[in-house]
Every structure is written in structure tokens, then in C-alpha cells.
Amino acid sequence: MKKVLLMLEGTVDIPPPPFVFNSFLVSSIFPCDAQQNANNSLGQGSSLTPTGNSSWLSPSGLFAFGFYVQGNNRYRVGIFFAGLAVNNKTVVWTANRDDPPVSDDVTLRLIDGRLILQHQTQDSTTDIVNPDQSISSVSMLDTGNFMLYKR
């Protein structure tokens, strides 16, 4: 049996594939090889900005992980239904929800095994998730899960 680390949920045993993974509204880290996540994943160096390429879509385009508008020129990072009208996104999960929304001078980066918000004007970074292992790639699934794959 493989061990799966679920952020905010603890560690659970799962049977070997094939298996059905119930939709969790939090990020997960799975051990995998390059073949397993090559089709719909983003690797080290991938980035998003609130006003440019602002989200990573699931294969069907129904779900997205990325920036969404929260007030006047303010943004949050989260998972939302992307298949809806631009100004009517239904948010499923928000990263760092207790922190204030960010301005458009940030970049979300997958770099050095971390998923971070990089603030240009403050020259600082904020972790989006705090995994125990280094992240090698990410993918947004059609189930609404945003997957973090470890190295």
C-alpha cells in the first residue's frame, strides 16, 4: 500500500491503482513517476499572474486553480468552477483565507520544490501550502482536486 499525505487531513493508506479518489477540497501530495503525471501537469518554473495567465485548468475546463478577483484590484488564490461566467466564479477552496487579498503585483510560482506567492513590491514570498516534501509538479483534476506531486 502507498502512503498518501493529505494536507489538513492527515496520512491515510490507499489500495494500489486502480482506485477512486473521493473529492477533497484541499491539496494533496502523491508519490508518482513522470509518466503518471506527464499528460496534465505543470512542473518547476510554472507561474501565474492575476492579470495575465491567471489559472491552471482541469482537463475538461470545469475547475481551475489560480487567481480570482476579490474586491477592487484585489485577488485571492484558490480552486473555483472555471466553466462559469468570468465575473460569477464559484469558489471551492481558498489558500491562506485568513490573509488579506493580494494586489496584482504578485506571481504564483512553482519553484525550488515550493508553491509560493512572490510579491514584487515587497520583495517577499508567501507559501501557498506547506508540504513535508518537495513538490515536483502540480495538476488540476476534473474532480476539483489540485494535486501536488512530490519528487
Side-chain angles (χ1 to χ4, degrees), residues 109-122:
R109 297 186 188 280
L110 179 57
I111 190 166
D112 297 330
R114 298 170 53 211
L115 187 59
I116 61 167
L117 266 181
Q118 192 170 40
H119 307 266
Q120 275 77 28
T121 57
Q122 299 171 354

Side-chain angles (χ1 to χ4, degrees), residues 2-92:
K2 291 185 179 180
K3 292 276 188 190
V4 177
L5 174 68
L6 299 173
M7 304 306 291
L8 306 176
E9 294 289 331
T11 302
V12 296
D13 289 319
I14 59 170
F19 65 92
V20 176
F21 188 71
N22 291 329
S23 183
F24 290 99
L25 302 181
V26 293
S27 300
S28 305
I29 295 184
F30 279 85
C32 69
D33 57 35
Q35 228 175 11
Q36 212 174 343
N37 68 351
N39 293 337
N40 189 41
S41 67
L42 297 144
Q44 293 293 310
S46 298
S47 65
L48 298 173
T49 61
T51 57
N53 182 19
S54 64
S55 62
W56 293 316
L57 294 174
S58 66
S60 69
L62 180 61
F63 290 99
F65 173 85
F67 290 100
Y68 64 90
V69 176
Q70 179 81 48
N72 190 18
N73 292 325
R74 306 300 283 177
Y75 302 88
R76 289 199 179 273
V77 174
I79 297 171
F80 51 89
F81 286 103
L84 304 175
V86 174
N87 293 330
N88 193 19
K89 293 180 180 170
T90 300
V91 176
V92 177

